[in-house]
Structures are given as C-alpha cells and as structure tokens.
Amino acid sequence: MFYNNPFSGLTELVSPLAVQGFTILMVGLVAFGTLMDIIHKKNVKYFFNNAKKAKQNAKVVLSTGQRTSVILKTVAHDIATTAELGRGKRRVAHVLGMYGTIIFWITSALLIFSFPTAGSTTPSAITIMWHVGAIITCVGGYWFWLFLRVDVLAEAHPWYRIIKADLFVLALLACATFGLAWSYTQFSGMIELSYLFLVLYITSNLVLFGGVYWSKFAHMFYKPGAAIQKNLAEADGSRDNLPPLADAPKQFGLGIKREQPKHY
Amino acid sequence: MTKVKTHFEESDVLIVGGGMAGTGATFEARHWGKDLKIVCVEKANIDRSGAVAQGLYAINCYMGMQWNENQPEDHVRYARNDLMGMVREDLGYDMARHVDSTVHMFDEWGLPMMKNEKTGRYLREGKWQIMIHGESYKPIVAEAAKKSADKIYNRIMITHLLMDDEKENRIGGAVGFNMRTGDYHVFKAKTVIVAAGGASHIFKPRAVGEGMGRTWYAPWSNGSAYALPIAVGAKMTQMENRIVLCRFKDGYGPVGAYFLHLKTYTQNANGENYEKKWYDHTKNLVGEYIDHHPTPTCLRNHAFIQEVMAGGGPIHMVTTEAFQDPHLETVGWENFLGMTVGQAVVWASQNIDPKYTNPELTTSEPYVMGSHATCSGAWVSGPEDLSPPEYFWGYNRMLTVDGLFGAGDTVGGSAHKFSSGSFTEGRLAAKAAVKYIEDKKADGIKVSEKQYTDLKEVIYKPLENYTVGRNEITGGTVSPSYISPIQGLQRLQRIMDEYVGGIATNYMTNENMLNRGLELLKWLEEDLENVGAEDYHQLMRAWELKHRTVTSQCVTEHTKFRTETRWPGYYYRGDHLKLDDENWHCLTVSRRDPKTKEFTMEKVPVYHIVDEKKEKKAS
Amino acid sequence: MSTFVYMTRCDGCGHCVDICPSDIMHIDETIRRAVNIEPNFCWECYSCVKACPNHAIDVRGYADFAPMGHSVRVRREEEKGTISWKIKFRNGNEKNFVSPITTKPWGKFIPKLAEEASPNQGEINSQRLYTEPNGLNIDGDLPTISKDTFKKGVYY
C-alpha cells in the first residue's frame, strides 16, 4: 500500500485539473474562513491593541536584531516543538499530530500537483511519506482523542462525548483515517469500498477546511503569534505584569505539580 | 441520564473532609492503627481544599510551653473570656496541651516559620499567634495525610451518614457522589470522623453580586460539619454562637497582624478613639465582662457597630504610622498575599496604600463555625482525665452517636483552635476512634442495602427534578416546579438576614422574628425537595444548600432558646437585651429527632476547670 | 472577582480544573479551554492561578467593589520554594514581594507512619499523641488538671 499513489487512481475518473482545482479551493477556504473569523471577532485588532499596551510596560526597548532573534527562537523552539504544553504526553501527541499533518499535506500537494497521473512511477519516497504522515497523524490524534483531551482526563467525560471544540481534531482524524482507508481499498482492488472511502475523504476535507470559521483550525495561526508576543514581552521585561523568575536555586523538587491533573 | 454506577469502600476509620482537621485525623490515625484501613473523603482536591486553600500568614494557636510563653490553663482562660464564659474548658485545655507538638511537626515538615532573630524562638505576632510564610500550608499537611491514608477520595461530596441497622444509635459509614464521574459512593466504616466545613453563606453577605464569593470564611464551607451529625440525631451545642468579624472593608482581609504586630489602632471618621465612648453602654448590657482584659471580641464589635449606627463611620484603621517602617509595610502586604489575596486586589483596585491612606474597616455578616473566636458545633465527649462526668462518655471527641467522632469546625465548645488546633483535634479524634475499634465497640455493624439505595434516590433527585421539570418551560431560569441551588441559597440568606440577626437588622433579632424565620425555613426545607440540578456541579451546589438549610434551622432554634444577649456584637436578643448569668451561665444543647425533625433543647452546665488568674485589672 | 483565563495562553491542560476548591474552573465546550463558570463562588484563593503552567489565569477584583485597571499576579515556583507577587495599582504604583513557601524538599521530611515504630503497649490508653511527650519540648509529661478544682456552673 505504501507505494500506492491514490490520486493516480482518482485521476482515472476525473481530470487532474479538477483535483488540483479542488485542492486550491481548500486552501482558499482556509484563507476565507480565517479572514471571516478575524473580521467578525476583531481578534487581530485586540491582539495588536494589547501588544501596544503591553509595550508601555516594557523595561527595555528591543532592537530589531533582538526582536528578530526572539522571533526566530520562538519559531524554532516554542512552535516547532509545541513547547507551551510542557513535558508530558500532551506535547508528544501534539507534535506527532502536527508533523504528521504537515507531512500528509505537503505530500498530498506534491502528489496532486507533480504526480497526479504517475501511477507506479511516482517516487516511492513521496507515497511512503504520504501514508506515514497519515499514520502519525492518527497515532497522535487518536491518542489525544481517546485519552488526553482535558474534558476526558480532568472532567471525566466519556471519550465518545463530542463537543463543538472537537470539530477540528475529528475532521482531521477523519481525513487521515479515510485517506488511508481509501488508499488501502483502492490498492487491494475493493473498488466499491474505495469509492465509499473516497467520498468520505472528500467530505472530511470539506468539513475540515470549510469549517475553519467554527472550529479551532485558525488557532494554528493565532497560537504562534501569541507565543511570539509572549516571548517578546519576556524579553522586554513587561512580562504580562507577571513577577520575574525568582533568583533562587531549584532544590526542593516538585510538590503538587508532580502529579497529572486527575484527582477524582 | 445514564445509569449511575455504585462503588463500595470499607474502612476502619473514615474521615469526612480533608481540611486541617481531616488531614490531622488521617495522619495520626495511622500511628495508632498501623494495620487499619484509613480512608479520607474530600469534596474538592485535598491539596488546596478547605479554609486554608490560599495559605495562612500566622498560626493563631501555639502555646510555646517549651519557652514558658503560655500554658494550657492560659489558653482556657483566654478562650473562656473571649466567649463570655461559654466554652468547654476540658476540650480547650486538651487541645492546648497538644497543639505545640503539632506545630513542631509542621516546622519539621518544611512549613516556613518566622523566627525572632534575638531569641531564636518562633516570632510571636501576639500572645497566641506565631508568624509563618504559609502559602503552602495546605499542600504540606495534605501530603502528610496522603502518606498515612490507604486512600484519599477527591471530588466526592458526602451528603449523608449511614447508621448501623443492627444496634441503635451507632454509626455505620457515609454516602456521597463523585462530582466528576457522577458515580454513587457507599463508604462502610467502623468509625467516622466528621471533619467537614463550618457554615459560610447562611446569612446574606454584604456583597451580593460577583462579590458574594469574597466571604470571610471559605464559600465552600457549607455546614456539612453540622448537617451530617444533625441528620442522624447527634446533639449539638452553642449553635446560636455565630461570629461576626471586624475586618477590612470589601476584601474581609485579616487584621490580626496589623493590630498585634504593626500595633495599629482604630478610629472613627472624626479621628476619635470611639471604643471608650461605649463603655457605659456596654456595661449596662453585660456588666463586669466589659472590664475583662483583653476585651472580648464581641464587645469590641459591639462598640464598632454602635459607633457606626450613631453616625461615626466609616471606621478606619490607622496604618500610616506603622507603614512608614519598611519591614512592617512588607509584613502588612505579605499578610494578605499569604492568606487573603483578595484584600491586596481590593487595595490595588482602589489605590489604597496604607502608607498614605488609613483603610476602612467593616463588620461582616455572621458565620457559624467552631474553630475561631466562636465555638458552634457538635456536643462531644472530652478526654477522660480532664472531663467532668457529664462531659465524658468513653471516647475523646466522640459525638452522642457511637462511633461518630468530630474535629475542627465540627466540634462545639472548643474555641480559638484555628488551624493548628483543628489539626490537633483531628489527631485526638483519630486516636480515640482507633481505641474505640480496639475496644471492639465497632463489632457487628450492619448497613442494609435498603439504607443506601434509599439514600441514592434522595441524593440524585435534584437531577431528576431538573430534567423532568425542564420540559414544562421553554427555557430560562424561572420554573414553577423547581428552584435552582442559587435561587434557594439567596432565599435562605434573606431569611437568616432579616429574621435571625443578619446585617439587615444590625444583628438584632427577637422571638417574634425567630419564629417567623423558623416558619420560612420550614417552607424552604419543603421546597428543597424540588431543587433542580442541571449537572453534577449543580448537584453539589444543591446538597451544599441542603446542608446549609439544616444548619440554619439549628442555629435559629438555638438562638430562640437562649433568652439573653450573651454576645452583643455577634447578635442581640431585642426582647432580652442583657447578659443574664443567673439563668444562662450554661451551654445550650439541642437534638433533632431524625424521624420527626423536631428539635429538643436543653441547658447543660458549664464547668470551669481552670481558676481565674489573679492579675491586676486593665487600666 | 474572580479569575479569568487568557485566550492566548490557555492550552487546556486541566490543572486549574483539578485544583479549584470551589469546583468552578471548567472546560469550555467551544474552545476546549478553561473558564470560570461561577465567579460569585470564587474566593480569589489563587489556587488555579498558581497551578497554571502557562500563567494563563489572572484575577479581576470583584465587580461589586473593585474598580478596573489593577493587577495582582503571582509566580509560584515549587522547585525553588518561592512565591513571587507583583501588585499594580490602578494609578500605576507597583509593589513586589517574594516569600519562601517551604524550607525542606516537598514531602521528604514528612514521615510515613506505617513504616515508623508502633506505639508501646497500652499507650493508646494514655493521653499522649504521636511524638509526645518529647515533641512538646517540655520537661516532664503532658500537662493535666486535678478534678478537685472543677467548678460547676458558677463563674470564676
């Protein structure tokens, strides 16, 4: 299955242009949804107002060089390794889901735009990574969905309880799962099933990319911005009005914080 | 609603409540019962639950016997004096002789205690208080309890005690529900130590919006300490002895360190020392008690209240002098940050810097609890060596129900214990509970399935009320067939406020008002059959309300029974506006019949086991 | 008052839900982040504020009586055994405080009583508690009173 390029199979039914057009539409939906969110909620306006207010509390003025350095460090560390989640399972699951999705999307784009009809001549590296990306997404995502979600872990809700906040992660998992199922059934010659999973795959993508206005999708743009602002505030001393770190050695170990937040 | 799962737990010692008293009991129980099963059940999370959630800046009960600072007799005299003679001196002496070992343990465990640089001793704030950096006081003692217990259950509210179906008047355990999972929990136990919270929010607070949350005593102290024993027919004492506190306005921040360590003082809006003005007035009410030194807390309140009523307010505390000293300024602020952060928030929001502004004081709404300058609670046996025969029936801190013990707010008559004393009382109760088991008093307990299945239905009924009743209306909070917990709470608070001596009447009440209050409370009790809870969190609020209502009924009955004004400044009987030592130099005890729900009241002699110290009168 | 949660900082870890003594910190269903569902039952105990690993929770004084524009923020550092406060008044004045919260490694000097020596035979019939009488640091045994001095119902 790992060498299968499912989009090649698809382009036997519809033209590659249609598939590519659909992909561009998905990207457009993300941009549109995010823009609508920003306009309606005025969140970017709030964000920059807040940053301006915080700057008034700055103890030092950062040079452009210093700002750039902080931003780069934030991207390389906070964003690339999801540092805000601290040490633990949630971070691992998020990193898996994040890179899995990135690999899945990039390889999808490559297959759709560079090798839509290549069939068995598609470079195996790309097809393998397409499947691996989907699998890693599923590992991280299902782990999160079944065990790590805070409403399941800390509030004891059952794993099958679905709330609006689940729209993004469920749609993402659906894409990855149905994509894999589609590729597998297509490769194994189960034609009717492969059509079923194709339809589900397309629908999941529509829900995922079309639902940006209602889901947490856009947070993947907001959170990096927030991380950058936080680190800039730390660097210029304003620190969101928080006191500075205490000047004392770490010698007492962990107390309340040694356990996970599940005491019931 | 999916079917509710039931979990069973059996233990030798069951501790209800994981606050200071509960952690003390859980910790000590293991020493005496190495092989016993010890279980603690806590409504919230034991690491931060109870009144000490945000920490404490002082331990208000430490004798310092090792340095001859105080002896247990001194504590008894102090508590007796502050409560106008009405305390259980045996319980007070007992707690005071042990509290030092508790405090020394806290020191060993890592609680930062301030030291007097010159003498090396614990730094005294006042005669009884020592200063600590106690932000993590609760997590530290919680860890001690965790190390001793077989299991700590968190997020379970105990709603009822179970009784032995075999032998009359003997405890059998407790039941409650988990507010996360919604599961039903049945705890069968040979002994139960009730170490739950006293009662805040039974009188209408001064702030009624968001500010409702800023009570002096924790808002999660919902009177389970009283409601649980009352329901099974245990005797209660001094429930009329509610406490009113003079604290900083709005935030109810503590004033102890200010008066004692910073040596601040109060004045009225004209800059006068108003307390002296009310001497004669107070003497008319209480006679020679006003000449006692130190002046009892309630009498100081009384002067404050009278001064404000006479138009001399707002009363301020003069801090501008003391705050010039940077060390005292730090103490003044850290006093809040380690104990009542909300007061720092109030001052920051109102630009109050005590260096330049003298902050306002106020008297709070009344609270009912047993560990502070008040001693409402259950009627318990004292220790064998200290108790007069009427006060002893076999096991220290045991209530009038066999096998049911109490500690902390639960226990009546032992005032001025505070955190360390409550922890100590927990230790005493735990030891006695283990002895009770070793004496084979807990053999043969049987709890029938009917008992806990009947209770299960009662406990979950509010969820049913809401789900079914909700069909009647389109939406919103107004329903003709059920009330929400907050609606019931606001009604309760109004009844107590207007009829039982709340701030609405400047703490005044009389028999007519109390009877009306009882009538309204009865209707509220009936209506609580129809309280509706939307989810498990609301179910917890519903049971908090039910416990508060039972407590309030008991408080009102007691207030009606004592026909005198013993503690002006806490409350006044307008129809008996004098202290009456001839008829009322005694304790009040009540019992509510579990079946008929009728209260019977009795007077119980107060024993003075400690003489008055011969000392010169205050000038 | 009460606590509120910053949208940009909360990542839905649940520590506040787990620690709140009032059971009022819960997870919002639309964004899966923490929110204070019952501000009028918030005591401003700061347990959640201290527990949040991302400093995502802050306090706005009770609307009944606290004017806006103030800030009281905290940093509790368990491993260092410190707690740091920064208070900002409405008029911009600032105060900072740092205090210790423990003198010993957490839990290390708290005994596991199951592993300690058992009390002596018959000790349970005495009035002594664990560590006593030594733990009182006094000469002699636990104080007590002779019952001959008891006075019933009269005042001293």
Side-chain angles (χ1 to χ4, degrees):
Chain A
M1 171 178 83
F2 286 84
Y3 299 103
N4 183 42
N5 176 352
F7 296 100
S8 282
L10 175 59
T11 51
E12 288 169 17
L13 306 165
V14 297
S15 80
L17 229 53
V19 181
Q20 288 161 0
F22 182 86
T23 310
I24 293 171
L25 174 66
M26 293 301 102
V27 176
L29 279 177
V30 172
F32 181 72
T34 306
L35 213 62
M36 283 291 100
D37 196 43
I38 289 173
I39 291 172
H40 183 178
K41 286 208 201 117
K42 303 199 183 183
N43 46 29
V44 172
K45 182 170 186 194
Y46 155 75
F47 185 78
F48 283 111
N49 282 352
N50 193 49
K52 224 186 331 171
K53 206 171 47 152
K55 235 169 145 192
Q56 292 171 343
N57 291 326
K59 299 282 192 301
V60 297
V61 177
L62 296 172
S63 69
T64 322
Q66 285 170 312
R67 290 178 71 85
T68 316
S69 160
V70 170
I71 292 171
L72 287 175
K73 271 195 226 147
T74 308
V75 171
H77 181 249
D78 292 53
I79 297 167
T81 69
T82 317
E84 88 169 313
L85 293 180
R87 252 182 303 202
K89 301 180 203 167
R90 288 170 70 235
R91 186 172 178 185
V92 176
H94 188 271
V95 166
L96 285 173
M98 178 169 78
Y99 285 109
T101 304
I102 290 172
I103 293 169
F104 188 52
W105 284 349
I106 291 177
T107 49
S108 296
L110 284 173
L111 292 176
I112 290 167
F113 286 91
S114 302
F115 303 98
T117 55
S120 48
T121 63
T122 317
S124 51
I126 302 178
T127 57
I128 291 172
M129 288 318 293
W130 187 86
H131 292 85
V132 165
I135 290 171
I136 294 177
T137 304
C138 287
V139 169
Y142 281 115
W143 186 15
F144 175 75
W145 172 257
L146 293 168
F147 303 107
L148 303 179
R149 274 184 298 158
V150 66
D151 38 322
V152 170
L153 183 81
E155 299 225 274
H157 284 293
W159 64 266
Y160 47 81
R161 170 189 174 259
I162 297 177
I163 52 178
K164 196 165 171 204
D166 295 322
L167 177 56
F168 172 68
V169 67
L170 276 182
L172 189 65
L173 279 172
C175 289
T177 310
F178 292 137
L180 285 169
W182 171 47
S183 175
Y184 177 75
T185 49
Q186 188 197 76
F187 171 75
S188 311
M190 301 187 241
I191 305 298
E192 283 90 10
L193 271 177
S194 80
Y195 287 159
L196 170 66
F197 286 123
L198 170 62
V199 168
L200 288 169
Y201 177 62
I202 294 172
T203 312
S204 313
N205 278 287
L206 274 167
V207 170
L208 177 66
F209 296 109
V212 167
Y213 183 70
W214 298 275
S215 75
K216 291 181 71 174
F217 194 120
H219 289 228
M220 74 167 77
F221 309 128
Y222 304 149
K223 274 287 187 174
I228 290 170
Q229 183 266 320
K230 184 186 86 169
N231 288 341
L232 286 172
E234 192 74 41
D236 74 12
S238 61
R239 232 182 270 113
D240 300 327
N241 288 333
L242 281 166
L245 288 153
D247 184 16
K250 285 189 181 179
Q251 54 180 323
F252 295 115
L254 288 173
I256 310 178
K257 303 223 162 172
R258 66 173 86 103
E259 292 170 7
Q260 66 171 354
K262 188 178 189 245
H263 295 95
Y264 56 80
Chain B
M1 201 104 323
T2 47
K3 200 153 177 285
V4 168
K5 252 196 294 193
T6 304
H7 300 270
F8 294 93
E9 176 70 274
E10 283 197 41
S11 64
D12 296 299
V13 184
L14 178 71
I15 296 117
V16 176
M20 289 306 299
T23 48
T26 308
F27 172 73
E28 184 88 11
R30 180 59 68 200
H31 177 68
W32 303 101
K34 289 268 188 269
D35 301 317
L36 294 184
K37 180 102 181 272
I38 298 163
V39 169
C40 177
V41 186
E42 162 56 51
K43 186 176 76 176
N45 181 329
I46 198 173
D47 279 324
R48 286 284 187 194
S49 61
V52 185
Q54 43 190 319
L56 284 178
Y57 196 68
I59 285 178
N60 282 354
C61 184
Y62 175 69
M63 300 299 118
M65 296 194 296
Q66 61 176 319
W67 300 307
N68 269 315
E69 289 176 341
N70 296 296
Q71 298 303 325
E73 295 95 322
D74 300 316
H75 168 85
V76 172
R77 293 186 191 107
Y78 172 64
R80 163 174 78 201
N81 172 59
D82 201 54
L83 273 303
M84 308 292 278
M86 299 299 111
V87 293
R88 277 280 300 269
E89 298 193 7
D90 57 328
L91 299 178
Y93 188 99
D94 188 29
M95 181 279 301
R97 64 180 169 176
H98 292 288
V99 74
D100 281 10
S101 75
T102 296
V103 174
H104 298 155
M105 281 199 300
F106 291 164
D107 192 358
E108 265 172 54
W109 295 351
L111 182 67
M113 330 258 300
M114 297 191 215
K115 299 269 165 58
N116 182 318
E117 279 164 3
K118 272 184 269 155
T119 61
R121 302 179 184 179
Y122 297 136
L123 182 63
R124 283 253 168 231
E125 186 180 272
K127 185 156 164 61
W128 304 102
Q129 306 84 345
I130 54 175
M131 297 168 77
I132 60 172
H133 287 291
E135 184 278 342
S136 288
Y137 196 179
K138 188 72 217 289
I140 290 173
V141 303
E143 177 123 37
K146 286 186 206 177
K147 287 196 170 187
S148 279
D150 281 288
K151 185 146 187 209
I152 311 256
Y153 286 87
N154 290 303
R155 300 292 171 193
I156 294 181
M157 180 173 183
I158 295 295
T159 53
H160 299 84
L161 295 173
L162 290 170
M163 295 297 277
D164 181 10
D165 284 305
E166 195 78 2
K167 190 161 176 275
E168 211 184 321
N169 201 40
R170 186 163 71 159
I171 205 71
V175 292
F177 67 95
N178 183 314
M179 63 192 76
R180 293 274 180 270
T181 63
D183 294 343
Y184 184 47
H185 285 258
V186 177
F187 295 92
K188 297 186 185 177
K190 294 191 173 170
T191 57
V192 176
I193 303 177
V194 175
S200 64
H201 273 314
I202 63 176
F203 286 85
K204 188 156 112 181
R206 287 201 183 273
V208 295
E210 221 179 60
M212 243 182 88
R214 184 97 288 280
T215 41
W216 164 74
Y217 209 46
W220 42 85
S221 297
N222 62 278
S224 295
Y226 312 124
L228 290 172
I230 290 173
V232 294
K235 288 188 176 177
M236 308 296 290
T237 184
Q238 297 299 92
M239 292 298 285
E240 70 275 19
N241 185 197
R242 79 289 287 282
I243 183 173
V244 166
L245 300 110
C246 172
R247 294 288 185 269
F248 287 115
K249 182 147 186 309
D250 296 333
Y252 285 153
V255 296
Y258 281 73
F259 283 135
L260 296 168
H261 191 75
L262 274 61
K263 309 269 188 274
T264 58
Y265 54 93
T266 57
Q267 65 185 24
N268 66 11
N270 301 318
E272 304 167 326
N273 176 339
Y274 60 90
E275 280 190 71
K276 304 194 233 201
K277 285 160 56 179
W278 298 98
Y279 174 83
D280 292 322
H281 183 272
T282 313
K283 190 144 191 167
N284 251 336
L285 271 177
V286 300
E288 55 90 19
Y289 283 87
I290 186 60
D291 297 317
H292 293 182
H293 186 69
T295 313
T297 305
C298 62
L299 299 184
R300 301 201 65 187
N301 282 359
H302 174 67
F304 187 111
I305 294 162
Q306 298 307 309
E307 181 66 18
V308 170
M309 281 210 287
I315 309 289
H316 289 92
M317 180 194 279
V318 179
T319 53
T320 46
E321 295 160 11
F323 265 65
Q324 300 306 316
D325 176 342
H327 159 72
L328 293 181
E329 181 187 11
T330 303
V331 167
W333 281 100
E334 289 192 342
N335 178 49
F336 295 151
L337 298 173
M339 189 151 55
T340 308
V341 189
Q343 189 61 55
V345 176
V346 168
W347 283 0
S349 74
Q350 297 182 12
N351 291 333
I352 295 173
D353 186 339
K355 225 173 167 166
Y356 309 111
T357 316
N358 292 322
E360 221 180 301
L361 295 169
T362 188
T363 52
S364 70
E365 68 280 11
Y367 295 81
V368 177
M369 35 95 76
S371 56
H372 207 274
T374 180
C375 51
S376 304
W379 183 244
V380 301
S381 169
E384 188 161 9
D385 66 326
L386 292 175
S387 299
E390 275 139 293
Y391 290 178
F392 177 73
W393 52 90
Y395 299 92
N396 198 357
R397 277 22 185 224
M398 190 169 82
L399 279 67
T400 53
V401 170
D402 290 334
L404 180 60
F405 295 79
D409 279 330
T410 308
V411 169
S414 60
H416 283 268
K417 346 176 237 238
F418 303 99
S419 61
S420 50
S422 296
F423 190 95
T424 304
E425 203 162 55
R427 299 172 68 197
L428 293 166
K431 181 181 179 190
V434 172
K435 182 166 192 303
Y436 176 89
I437 294 169
E438 284 189 4
D439 292 349
K440 308 246 177 278
K441 294 283 166 58
D443 288 359
I445 296 177
K446 286 211 169 48
V447 172
S448 67
E449 186 175 338
K450 181 173 192 312
Q451 198 188 151
Y452 60 77
T453 43
D454 282 351
L455 283 172
K456 181 177 177 178
E457 223 181 292
V458 170
I459 291 168
Y460 289 91
K461 187 144 181 296
L463 290 166
E464 180 80 1
N465 288 342
Y466 176 82
T467 308
V468 173
R470 179 64 184 74
N471 289 298
E472 189 169 11
I473 51 177
T474 54
T477 58
V478 182
S479 158
S481 60
Y482 63 81
I483 54 172
S484 69
I486 185 68
Q487 289 168 346
L489 182 65
Q490 287 169 335
R491 192 165 131 202
L492 170 69
Q493 291 182 339
R494 188 134 184 230
I495 294 168
M496 298 302 283
D497 186 41
E498 292 180 332
Y499 296 102
V500 193
I503 56 183
T505 59
N506 275 313
Y507 315 104
M508 175 66 72
T509 185
N510 61 42
E511 181 155 340
N512 295 321
M513 292 162 77
L514 292 166
N515 281 329
R516 179 60 177 156
L518 285 172
E519 185 180 9
L520 292 171
L521 285 172
K522 192 91 199 122
W523 286 340
L524 176 62
E525 183 192 340
E526 290 167 14
D527 286 352
L528 289 184
E529 289 302 305
N530 297 317
V531 67
E534 239 179 287
D535 50 35
Y536 299 126
H537 172 82
Q538 285 297 315
L539 184 63
M540 184 257 299
R541 292 283 182 245
W543 279 101
E544 288 186 334
L545 171 62
K546 288 189 186 235
H547 285 190
R548 284 190 163 110
T549 305
V550 170
T551 302
S552 301
Q553 288 172 313
C554 188
V555 168
T556 311
E557 292 280 358
H558 274 255
T559 309
K560 183 177 162 189
F561 183 57
R562 184 181 282 276
T563 52
E564 65 154 357
T565 299
R566 169 70 45 176
W567 307 277
Y570 283 173
Y571 76 99
Y572 305 85
R573 276 293 296 264
D575 47 351
H576 297 276
L577 208 48
K578 247 179 167 35
L579 185 146
D580 180 7
D581 258 341
E582 210 181 300
N583 294 303
W584 284 101
H585 197 87
C586 58
L587 304 170
T588 60
V589 163
S590 69
R591 180 178 182 270
R592 194 190 81 156
D593 185 295
K595 292 201 191 62
T596 66
K597 308 242 179 106
E598 293 295 313
F599 280 86
T600 36
M601 311 295 301
E602 57 176 314
K603 289 185 182 182
V604 173
V606 94
Y607 274 89
H608 295 297
I609 69 175
V610 168
D611 267 331
E612 182 59 7
K613 205 171 189 173
K614 295 284 174 273
E615 59 188 329
K616 51 178 163 48
K617 291 257 161 69
S619 49
Chain C
M1 117 130 157
S2 313
T3 56
F4 62 93
V5 183
Y6 289 114
M7 176 68 105
T8 48
R9 297 278 180 267
C10 176
D11 64 35
C13 71
H15 274 95
C16 59
V17 176
D18 185 57
I19 200 73
C20 177
S22 201
D23 192 39
I24 59 175
M25 295 307 286
H26 286 276
I27 301 299
D28 179 276
E29 295 193 357
T30 308
I31 54 173
R32 212 203 313 280
R33 292 189 188 150
V35 68
N36 179 337
I37 62 162
E38 223 173 10
N40 62 343
F41 277 91
C42 180
W43 204 34
E44 284 187 359
C45 75
Y46 272 74
S47 297
C48 60
V49 180
K50 295 168 186 170
C52 179
N54 292 327
H55 303 289
I57 308 184
D58 199 351
V59 164
R60 191 270 277 128
Y62 300 95
D64 293 43
F65 46 76
M68 300 169 75
H70 55 276
S71 165
V72 178
R73 301 210 74 183
V74 66
R75 198 187 285 266
R76 180 174 183 269
E77 295 177 83
E78 267 189 349
E79 292 171 289
K80 296 177 186 172
T82 59
I83 188 147
S84 309
W85 295 91
K86 185 184 277 286
I87 301 172
K88 277 199 171 157
F89 287 63
R90 179 182 162 103
N91 60 20
N93 285 344
E94 200 179 289
K95 292 197 186 292
N96 294 287
F97 300 97
V98 183
S99 297
I101 56 178
T102 183
T103 56
K104 308 253 171 81
W106 300 99
K108 184 144 182 250
F109 291 87
I110 299 177
K112 210 165 189 300
L113 292 180
E115 290 161 12
E116 300 239 320
S118 293
N120 294 327
Q121 186 78 286
E123 184 77 352
I124 198 164
N125 297 314
S126 76
Q127 291 298 327
R128 289 184 284 274
L129 292 175
Y130 170 66
T131 72
E132 292 176 355
N134 297 338
L136 296 165
N137 289 346
I138 54 176
D139 303 319
D141 208 339
L142 199 62
T144 187
I145 281 189
S146 153
K147 295 201 183 185
D148 310 324
T149 61
F150 291 5
K151 277 201 217 132
K152 172 179 178 172
V154 295
Y155 59 110
Y156 33 85

